[in-house]
Amino acid sequence: MNPPPWAVLGFANLTMLVAGMFVDVFSNILILSPLLLRLMEPAGISELHFGIVATVNSDMGNITPPFGLNLFVASGAFKKAMWKWCGQSFPGWPSPS
């Protein structure tokens, strides 16, 4: 079975994004990149392209609710509850009135 390159890259995108919600960027890239890179080479996706996609998706996961690490850091820096401003930052996210 040989999936198309867009399907392999989509799988990597989703995996890095979901893992980025629970793990910091450095650990996410350090753990998942060697595993996913083995899928990229047979699909014909360059290592540079995969590296950029992995970094961007890990960073996006860091600001994605409900467990984005940067959300908790910003909550402490602004001294406001995360749930009060999170709904204003992300359309569709329920916000308490």
Side-chain angles (χ1 to χ4, degrees):
M1 186 169 136
N2 194 8
W6 62 267
V8 174
L9 200 55
F11 172 74
N13 283 337
L14 189 63
T15 302
M16 296 296 267
L17 181 68
V18 170
M21 287 196 280
F22 301 101
V23 182
D24 67 309
V25 175
F26 181 72
S27 301
N28 189 8
I29 292 174
L30 190 66
I31 293 169
L32 291 178
S33 288
L35 299 173
L36 293 173
L37 191 59
R38 292 179 184 234
L39 298 174
M40 298 298 136
E41 291 171 353
I45 299 168
S46 72
E47 293 87 3
L48 179 64
H49 185 195
F50 172 67
I52 292 169
V53 166
T55 304
V56 169
N57 278 310
S58 295
D59 282 335
M60 284 174 37
N62 246 355
I63 62 167
T64 304
F67 299 113
L69 178 66
N70 285 349
L71 295 176
F72 293 108
V73 171
S75 177
F78 297 136
K79 295 181 178 36
K80 291 190 175 184
M82 180 178 70
W83 305 112
K84 289 189 178 183
W85 59 269
C86 191
Q88 298 167 358
S89 301
F90 300 101
W93 187 259
S95 177
S97 301

